[in-house]
Amino acid sequence: MSWYYTPKPTVLPAETFNPSADAAALRKAMKGFGTDEQAIIDILCARSNWQRQVISETFTRELGRDLLKDLKSELGGKFEDVILGLMLPPVNYLCKQLHKAMDGIGTNERALIEILCSQNNEQMHHISRVYEEMYNRPLAEHVCTETSGDFRRLLTLIITGTREAPGTLNPDLAITQAKQLYDAGEGKWGTDEAVFNKILAHCSFDQLEYVFEEYKKLTGRTIEQALKAEISGDLYEAYSAIVECVQMAPHFFAKRLFEAMDGLGTDDTTLIRIIVSRSEIDLQNIKDEYEQMYNKTLTSAVKSETSGDYKKALCALIGAA
């Protein structure tokens, strides 16, 4: 099954780890006139998130200072966004990104789709819990105020977490579900989104892979072809994201990175979010996939779209080309 790839991170825990030495070196890099950005990159981009948390605690305990505050006052721009993103525990980082996508005027639906549609149930519950702790507001309720229609219903189903646990599998049921999808879409005039929502938000990713295979056997068309013909807008983007994450998550993120850098201007928020949030999960797989899909390395693409310390930090997280 294509869903089972072995996740390969690009950032691993430093083998020889001395939090006191790291804390002292970071203090030295920010003390006095000017900042040694390279020293900050060399330390923070080469430690696991858990190690960064330990460095932060050590910094406070041994130097009586707040590492995050010091970094904030010394750094700026997109470089600061990368480094501060690395300093947050991963789930808090994703919650902050979700909040940012909905805060103020307008909503970044693509960010909501990318974060929410790629999680399994356990991860989703964790994100919901932490979001409410951080912002004193249920995530589902916040998403409801920022979205509408079937798109809102789909995201709410995903957030409230009724997806089956990974590994939940019923091949016989997959045949029935494939038929239900056909009957709700290509097999009738108009589309019954409620059926799509129910199946795509409730089934485990393993089950969905079977459903999509059965769909192809039943109709001779891929589920992607069916969605393209039947659905549009944000709902189509969300369904597509689920399908891609079921079939091959690194492919989905590689495509997102390409889109963030394609054409005029760069979508730095997406670029930073994916590289920071996937660096300890499967960024190596995403890199390999990117090179295969676009015939150039992710590193070379990032180098041509970014500059200065921002570029150095991203390249350090991506690892050697």
Side-chain angles (χ1 to χ4, degrees):
M1 302 291 274
S2 59
W3 193 71
Y4 296 104
Y5 67 100
T6 304
K8 293 176 190 155
T10 54
V11 173
L12 297 159
E15 286 179 22
T16 49
F17 177 50
N18 182 338
S20 297
D22 283 348
L26 285 168
R27 175 74 187 116
K28 187 178 169 218
M30 294 185 279
K31 201 174 175 181
F33 187 71
T35 306
D36 183 352
E37 285 88 355
Q38 191 58 53
I40 293 171
I41 293 168
D42 290 343
I43 297 170
L44 296 179
C45 294
R47 304 288 182 272
S48 69
N49 192 278
W50 176 80
Q51 289 176 331
R52 289 181 215 121
Q53 305 306 325
V54 176
I55 294 167
S56 190
E57 287 158 21
T58 308
F59 199 86
T60 305
R61 194 175 60 246
E62 295 181 4
L63 304 167
R65 299 179 68 89
D66 184 324
L67 178 55
L68 276 172
K69 273 188 185 153
D70 281 8
L71 288 166
K72 260 184 195 157
S73 68
E74 292 295 325
L75 312 178
K78 299 180 192 82
F79 177 52
E80 179 187 346
D81 293 342
V82 175
I83 298 299
L84 292 181
L86 291 172
M87 293 307 300
L88 283 172
V91 72
N92 297 57
Y93 178 68
L94 288 180
C95 288
K96 197 173 176 189
Q97 293 291 310
L98 284 167
H99 189 261
K100 188 176 168 183
M102 296 185 283
D103 200 29
I105 294 168
T107 304
N108 182 347
E109 286 85 6
R110 284 180 69 80
L112 293 182
I113 290 167
E114 177 206 301
I115 298 169
L116 298 175
C117 295
S118 59
Q119 310 297 330
N120 69 32
N121 214 27
E122 199 181 324
Q123 293 163 330
M124 198 61 254
H125 280 303
H126 193 188
I127 289 169
S128 289
R129 199 168 61 246
V130 174
Y131 192 91
E132 192 160 354
E133 281 166 19
M134 284 173 73
Y135 299 106
N136 205 15
R137 181 178 191 182
L139 175 59
E141 185 259 322
H142 196 176
V143 168
C144 274
T145 63
E146 298 293 324
T147 54
S148 61
D150 288 301
F151 179 56
R152 170 164 66 193
R153 281 188 278 276
L154 175 71
L155 295 188
T156 309
L157 282 172
I158 290 170
I159 294 164
T160 48
T162 50
R163 192 181 291 291
E164 298 159 341
T168 309
L169 211 52
N170 182 338
D172 292 337
L173 182 60
I175 298 169
T176 309
Q177 288 168 326
K179 176 87 168 66
Q180 286 170 341
L181 287 176
Y182 175 74
D183 290 342
E186 295 186 287
K188 71 191 278 284
W189 180 258
T191 309
D192 184 351
E193 284 86 358
V195 175
F196 279 84
N197 277 356
K198 187 171 186 298
I199 292 173
L200 292 177
H202 287 289
C203 294
S204 69
F205 279 10
D206 308 74
Q207 177 72 5
L208 284 174
E209 180 132 37
Y210 271 98
V211 174
F212 300 157
E213 281 176 17
E214 292 300 337
Y215 193 93
K216 189 153 192 234
K217 281 185 210 164
L218 176 73
T219 66
R221 281 157 69 84
T222 64
I223 190 73
E224 292 94 328
Q225 289 170 322
L227 291 174
K228 217 170 195 144
E230 293 293 319
I231 316 276
S232 62
D234 292 327
L235 189 62
Y236 168 72
E237 293 290 334
Y239 286 164
S240 269
I242 294 170
V243 171
E244 285 182 38
C245 287
V246 165
Q247 291 174 341
M248 186 62 160
H251 180 95
F252 169 71
F253 287 108
K255 195 167 130 192
R256 281 294 165 104
L257 286 169
F258 178 79
E259 288 165 358
M261 295 185 279
D262 194 30
L264 273 176
T266 305
D267 176 357
D268 295 290
T269 308
T270 300
L271 192 58
I272 295 168
R273 183 178 57 246
I274 294 176
I275 290 172
V276 167
S277 67
R278 305 305 293 191
S279 59
E280 287 184 63
I281 303 173
D282 57 358
L283 191 53
Q284 183 61 49
N285 309 74
I286 294 167
K287 256 168 71 173
D288 296 343
E289 196 67 22
Y290 190 96
E291 192 169 353
Q292 226 174 343
M293 288 163 74
Y294 303 109
N295 212 13
K296 62 177 167 189
T297 65
L298 178 57
T299 308
S300 67
V302 166
K303 275 182 178 166
S304 65
E305 292 292 323
T306 58
S307 61
D309 297 313
Y310 171 43
K311 172 169 84 175
K312 287 181 197 163
L314 289 183
C315 289
L317 292 172
I318 296 166

